[in-house]
Amino acid sequence: MPLVHDTIAFRANGLDYRATNLRRALGEDFDRLPVVLRLLAENTLRRSSPQESARTLANLRRWLATRSSEEELEFWPHRLLMHDTTSTPALVDIAGMRDSLAEIGIDPGVLTPSLNVEVSIDHSLAVEEYAAKDAAPRNLAHEYRRNRERYSFLKWASASMETVNINPPGTGIMHTLNLEQLATLAHPENADIDAGTPTLIVPDMMIGTDSHTPMINGLGVLGWGVGGLEAQTVMFGLPTTLRIPDVIGFRLTGSLPTGATATDLALTITHMLRTRGVSGEFVEFFGSGVATLGVGQRAVISNMAPEYGATTGYFPVDHHALDYLRDTGRPEEQISLVENFYRAIGLWFDPEATPEYTDVLELDLSTVSLRAAGPRRPQDLRTLEEIPQVLAAETGGIAEGIGELPRFAIALASITSCTNTTDPKLLVAAGLLARKARALGLEVPHWVKTSLAPGSPAAASYLRRSGLLEDLGSVGFDIVGFGCTTCIGNSGALSLPVASALAAGAIRPVAVLSGNRNFAGRIHPDLDLGFLMSPPLVIAYALTGRADIDLQRHEFAPATADRPAVMLDDLLPTAEEIEAAWAQGHDAADFVRDFRDAATNPLWNKLAYPQGAQFAWDPESTILRRPPFASRDAGSQLGSYTAHPLLVLGDDVTTDHISPASAIPHESSVADFLVERGENREDLNVFASRRGNWEVMLRGGFHAKSVRNKLGDSLSAPLPVAHTVYAPSGEVMELHEAARRYEAAGESVVIIAGERFGTGSSRDWAAKVQRLLGVRAVLAGSFERIHRSNLIGMGVLPLLVPESMRCRLQQLVPGDTVAIVAEPGDIAVRADIRVRLRSRSGAVEDFVARAAVETELEVVLLRSGGVIPHLLRSTIDAARPHRS
């Protein structure tokens, strides 16, 4: 690792330290560059070779001329964050790769991550028990019962790989844990230095295998989400490479008005940036309005980065960051180090500074008001009065004259997700609304399933100390656990009244949640309508039991002789009430103590796990199977070939659609497959719990009701879920069976998609399942950033279709074929790729697609067949001189 010789000295806590002399390196361009680009410059100066560093600095200076660049840079994070359902497949891959090494006589233990990997088990908690004081421990018991085998595997991974640390169930949501426990902001570099030389302090920089990793940007830590496959390259000592990003400056002025929350602001920003057309750019917030927002509020905005299409949503470090560190129990020595370091290196936030950006958007915070987003996308901003109008267009399929529930009954009302529960004051606001509702005797209708799942175990302490925990419980919002729950689709079963009315066609049930995504079927496979909103609004809607009302005009209680009718404004707390309740409830010691107590749960400590460098696979397991692609023999998918379309998909097909995380449907071929192997049809858990079993995931590919395979449009009836037409015979069959037949016949397959293919979670299984289906290329109008990377990580070529051909490709029918010329030598960054479309009538159309390939490393990975064979070959080459 290169040492930084050009450093500046600074002092903190009476000690001498060093920092990269970033201002000297960048010269007169220092103040002109966005803070995020200064941070990337610091990283490359410290970690890349002198030649690479010089090249990157020159490219950053050139960036200022056009505010854009086609050049690459290296990024070397010093830590990696994963959750259980992304770490499981990644660690299963490593276990499989270790087996491959052992089979040729190489010590499997050499394949151990060189980067510190923190795993948070937060994506497996389901809401089975609710509206009860003991709901949380009962749900935790269910979680351990269902996931014991997988958790045992994770303990094996941690024991056999010293760089992997597991944060057990109950310790909170990964992004909250990152903010409250892991982030240091100022990190001592572990480089060898001469005795007596002051320690080099560097900015805390990281990546995570979840698209909401940018939440840490709210604290001033530069980090973003990557796919699990990209993370594997970084785990084993390679940098992640990226094009020097365009940076959108978002100027904030003014301050939030009374009643408006960070959620309302985040949804407004999401809408503005999506309208502008952000897709992969870095976003940096600046201006005087930034100084009015605390880290909790900033984190809500940063968390939504993938929803507004950005890689980051960065807020520079200032006194609010120091306040947050102090509020969450960090030692004063660390807080002093952070302040002195950021001031010395020139990265302390200046509200008057105006760096140069690719583009600038502006928002006066005083104009923000109560908002929701939906009913299917987080960027679809709504005023509360618009929601009834939006739902009026969704009445199709509702039978008239039957049922006792409202047509748009609230089925799920969930305060969930890192997005909003990480900000304690949003939870306090919800508790205060519950307190006012309780005082009025208001109750949630019996059909509404309510839940509160904070991101931090400390939430229970500060809500209890302020008296709000009991108030929340009085309206059904008892804590159900500390995890993602409903936001990730672990909502559990619907209430019986809702399930019955839905089966009868009497209602279109709606979810209201404080999460970040509301794609159809994500929250629950039977719900396609959902609205994102702040925690207090979730409770307000729950009290009404229905979504098709103007909440601001709704009478929560009728007028009496003593008072007028109770309206929303009467229930919403004031800023002064929130601050008073927070002051009463807050104790910085909670954040350290409650996390420590949760991490030492006896259920986790007693869990047995296997020993040894190789994992002992159980051939009868339905949870963990050695993956077939974890092999050095996996070949490149490149070449010249003629392919049948396996699926033709429209716009906005998300990773939730491609590889669902929600409950496995009882009546499905996936369920049948598991039942045949001894599983209980009534307790199959969620798809995400079985990401260690490639056979289940293969059968679960594209298993979503809202996915329409347009290949079936010419048939007399729509194609069933996860089915296609096998062109040679015209038979309708399951995707995996058609893929098997094509492979047996030596035929290739591709997928056709519309705009924003792969929007959603950074879910590597959404790419893995396409590779297992034999897909060699995906032709789409546009790709979500992380999914594009994951496809390349599995050796699948993403191709951008010219606008002139997009409509034509959406009209393909069984028997049409696509010929692609993509030899290894043809693949380069953004290379033109020749494509020939031949219809079954014999007509031919030629066009040129563009390889959605952004870096030279991605070229290498495609030629290698993906990340796994590339890593295996590199490990074998490095280990051969040391073979026993």
Side-chain angles (χ1 to χ4, degrees):
M1 175 170 34
L3 293 178
V4 177
H5 298 292
D6 189 9
T7 60
I8 54 172
F10 72 97
R11 288 180 64 81
N13 305 308
L15 299 174
D16 292 323
Y17 294 98
R18 296 180 302 145
T20 305
N21 196 336
L22 195 55
R23 188 175 288 278
R24 181 180 295 175
L26 293 172
E28 62 183 12
D29 296 327
F30 180 88
D31 291 315
R32 297 174 62 200
L33 283 168
V35 175
V36 288
L37 294 188
R38 296 181 219 169
L39 285 165
L40 292 175
E42 192 281 340
N43 186 272
T44 194
L45 277 167
R46 180 168 39 84
R47 292 298 309 270
S48 297
S49 68
Q51 296 82 1
E52 178 66 20
S53 296
R55 187 182 71 83
T56 297
L57 289 178
N59 288 334
L60 287 172
R61 292 189 184 98
R62 282 193 286 269
W63 183 93
L64 284 166
T66 59
R67 318 288 171 81
S68 188
S69 176
E70 299 299 319
E71 301 296 330
E72 299 175 25
L73 57 74
E74 296 177 341
F75 179 67
W76 303 82
H78 73 265
R79 59 189 177 92
L80 169 65
L81 181 64
M82 310 182 86
H83 58 70
D84 50 306
T85 57
T86 55
S87 67
T88 297
L91 294 169
V92 164
D93 289 350
I94 294 173
M97 288 190 279
R98 281 185 163 192
D99 288 345
S100 293
L101 293 175
E103 287 164 359
I104 59 173
I106 293 177
D107 175 11
V110 302
L111 198 70
T112 293
S114 58
L115 199 68
N116 288 331
V117 180
E118 290 281 346
V119 175
S120 169
I121 299 181
D122 63 356
H123 274 53
S124 299
L125 179 69
V127 184
E128 303 294 343
E129 315 288 345
Y130 66 101
K133 290 184 178 180
D134 63 347
R138 290 164 66 190
N139 283 326
L140 190 64
H142 286 310
E143 179 183 355
Y144 271 95
R145 174 180 57 80
R146 287 177 169 157
N147 297 284
R148 183 171 302 275
E149 182 181 351
R150 187 160 56 93
Y151 292 174
S152 177
F153 168 77
L154 291 176
K155 289 191 78 170
W156 164 82
S158 182
S160 65
M161 305 176 201
E162 64 274 11
T163 50
V164 176
N165 181 56
I166 310 294
N167 296 280
T171 53
I173 302 177
M174 63 185 296
H175 307 302
T176 310
L177 184 151
N178 196 14
L179 280 157
E180 294 181 356
Q181 307 295 329
L182 303 178
T184 62
L185 275 79
H187 176 72
E189 182 64 60
N190 295 322
D192 294 331
I193 57 176
D194 296 332
T197 303
T199 300
L200 180 69
I201 302 299
V202 305
D204 184 4
M205 301 190 201
M206 50 82 63
I207 57 172
T209 56
D210 185 273
S211 53
H212 294 99
T213 300
M215 188 171 206
I216 200 65
N217 295 174
L219 185 57
V221 174
L222 182 60
W224 60 85
V226 300
L229 292 157
E230 184 176 347
Q232 288 181 41
T233 66
V234 179
M235 275 187 205
F236 294 104
L238 294 173
T240 181
T241 59
L242 64 154
R243 185 174 64 84
I244 295 175
D246 291 359
V247 184
I248 308 300
F250 205 117
R251 187 197 307 270
L252 298 177
T253 60
S255 59
L256 285 174
T258 299
T261 67
T263 313
D264 304 311
L265 173 57
L267 294 177
T268 301
I269 288 171
T270 298
H271 175 73
M272 291 176 66
L273 286 166
R274 277 294 189 187
T275 301
R276 187 267 179 195
V278 171
S279 180
E281 294 92 333
F282 281 32
V283 170
E284 179 173 306
F285 294 92
F286 73 109
S288 59
V290 169
T292 70
L293 301 174
V295 167
Q297 295 168 304
R298 297 175 185 183
V300 176
I301 298 164
S302 296
N303 182 285
M304 294 289 284
E307 279 65 60
Y308 45 78
T311 300
T312 69
Y314 186 78
F315 287 86
V317 175
D318 65 0
H319 71 278
H320 285 294
L322 305 184
D323 292 342
Y324 183 84
L325 294 176
R326 190 170 288 112
D327 285 346
T328 51
R330 273 35 173 248
E332 286 298 327
E333 293 79 6
Q334 179 67 19
I335 297 169
S336 175
L337 177 63
V338 168
E339 179 173 8
N340 284 281
F341 167 67
Y342 278 89
R343 289 188 184 278
I345 201 172
L347 297 177
W348 188 260
F349 176 60
D350 177 1
E352 302 302 320
T354 54
E356 297 179 22
Y357 296 104
T358 306
D359 193 7
V360 173
L361 277 71
E362 184 166 344
L363 175 64
D364 180 349
L365 297 177
S366 67
T367 64
V368 175
S369 58
L370 296 179
R371 289 290 187 269
R376 295 182 181 86
R377 299 191 309 176
Q379 64 262 41
D380 294 332
L381 188 69
R382 310 292 184 187
T383 64
L384 300 188
E385 68 179 359
E386 287 176 326
I387 291 178
Q389 303 164 27
V390 170
L391 291 177
E394 301 283 350
T395 56
I398 302 178
E400 297 291 339
I402 63 172
E404 300 179 356
L405 271 61
R407 292 193 304 172
F408 294 98
I410 301 290
L412 299 173
S414 183
I415 300 175
T416 178
S417 170
C418 51
T419 307
N420 293 288
T421 70
T422 298
D423 182 358
K425 292 180 183 178
L426 283 174
L427 292 186
V428 167
L432 289 170
L433 188 144
R435 175 173 290 176
K436 295 182 180 186
R438 181 187 187 188
L440 290 163
L442 302 181
E443 295 181 347
V444 172
H446 66 281
W447 62 81
V448 182
K449 183 172 184 177
T450 53
S451 61
L452 166 60
S456 168
S461 291
Y462 63 71
L463 289 173
R464 183 180 295 109
R465 193 177 293 112
S466 62
L468 296 174
L469 200 59
E470 188 174 342
D471 294 315
L472 287 159
S474 73
V475 289
F477 284 86
D478 298 278
I479 291 178
V480 297
F482 305 96
C484 304
T485 63
T486 301
C487 186
I488 195 61
N490 292 342
S491 53
L494 301 175
S495 69
L496 183 59
V498 167
S500 299
L502 178 62
I507 63 171
R508 291 287 301 280
V510 179
V512 292
L513 68 155
S514 65
N516 44 52
R517 289 184 176 139
N518 52 346
F519 306 133
R522 174 186 169 94
I523 309 307
H524 188 282
D526 293 333
L527 301 185
D528 69 342
L529 301 175
F531 290 92
L532 307 179
M533 59 190 64
S534 68
L537 286 185
V538 168
I539 297 180
Y541 269 104
L543 290 167
T544 72
R546 60 190 301 167
D548 56 340
I549 56 170
D550 180 350
L551 196 68
Q552 291 179 297
R553 297 186 178 184
H554 176 74
E555 292 188 3
F556 287 83
T560 68
D562 300 325
R563 57 161 174 76
V566 176
M567 310 300 287
L568 180 63
D569 284 345
D570 301 313
L571 296 178
L572 289 173
T574 65
E576 292 75 18
E577 289 172 328
I578 294 170
E579 290 299 329
W582 170 240
Q584 178 183 350
H586 172 249
D587 182 344
D590 293 343
F591 294 86
V592 177
R593 181 194 61 250
D594 293 347
F595 175 78
R596 182 190 62 235
D597 292 348
T600 55
N601 189 303
L603 291 173
W604 178 259
N605 293 338
K606 294 177 182 178
L607 188 62
Y609 59 93
Q611 305 291 323
Q614 287 181 262
F615 182 70
W617 305 100
D618 177 359
E620 302 301 317
S621 174
T622 62
I623 302 294
L624 301 166
R625 296 287 304 281
R626 180 178 173 181
F629 44 74
S631 165
R632 68 188 189 282
D633 299 324
S636 171
Q637 298 279 83
L638 301 175
S640 299
Y641 51 88
T642 297
H644 291 277
L646 188 66
L647 295 122
V648 176
L649 306 169
D651 297 342
D652 295 305
V653 173
T654 73
T655 54
D656 289 297
H657 296 127
I658 304 168
S659 186
S662 57
I664 297 173
H666 293 184
E667 302 304 321
S668 65
S669 61
V670 185
D672 294 342
F673 175 81
L674 291 168
V675 170
E676 289 169 4
R677 284 150 183 81
E679 296 289 346
N680 178 359
R681 191 180 293 273
E682 301 306 314
D683 194 22
L684 296 174
N685 211 339
V686 294
F687 279 109
S689 71
R690 299 185 185 272
R691 288 182 183 165
N693 186 333
W694 65 272
E695 289 192 284
V696 175
M697 301 308 292
L698 171 63
R699 287 161 175 79
F702 296 91
H703 208 289
K705 291 180 180 179
S706 56
V707 172
R708 170 183 156 211
N709 185 356
K710 296 183 179 181
L711 274 181
D713 287 0
S714 60
L715 305 180
S716 57
L719 286 172
V721 171
H723 278 61
T724 191
V725 179
Y726 179 62
S729 66
E731 296 172 83
V732 172
M733 61 184 66
E734 291 185 76
L735 287 172
H736 69 90
E737 175 59 21
R740 186 192 64 79
R741 289 207 196 178
Y742 280 123
E743 181 183 29
E747 300 274 6
S748 298
V749 295
V750 296
I751 287 176
I752 310 298
E755 299 293 337
R756 298 170 293 278
F757 184 60
T759 298
S761 303
S762 54
R763 192 165 298 171
D764 56 352
W765 256 109
K768 287 177 176 176
V769 75
Q770 292 177 74
R771 176 65 186 259
L772 286 175
L773 288 169
V775 174
R776 299 183 71 172
V778 177
L779 296 88
S782 61
F783 293 88
E784 192 275 339
R785 174 183 62 88
I786 298 178
H787 186 58
R788 181 199 64 81
S789 171
N790 275 334
L791 287 171
I792 291 171
M794 287 307 296
V796 178
L797 177 62
L799 292 175
L800 288 166
V801 176
E803 190 168 353
S804 61
M805 287 299 297
R806 292 176 190 174
C807 182
R808 175 68 185 92
L809 286 171
Q810 291 287 306
Q811 299 167 352
L812 295 184
V813 298
D816 292 345
T817 60
V818 178
I820 296 173
V821 179
E823 298 292 342
D826 297 325
I827 300 302
V829 173
R830 302 183 181 185
D832 288 342
I833 301 297
R834 288 178 291 145
V835 181
R836 170 166 289 182
L837 173 61
R838 185 182 297 274
S839 70
R840 62 184 179 184
S841 66
V844 170
E845 297 173 78
D846 292 331
F847 64 94
V848 175
R850 179 161 60 84
V853 179
E854 295 292 331
T855 69
E856 291 298 331
L857 178 58
E858 291 179 347
V859 174
V860 171
L861 293 178
L862 283 168
R863 291 172 179 169
S864 299
V867 165
I868 293 173
H870 177 73
L871 285 175
L872 272 174
R873 290 168 196 150
S874 298
T875 304
I876 291 168
D877 290 343
R880 282 196 186 280
H882 308 290
R883 289 179 63 180
S884 57

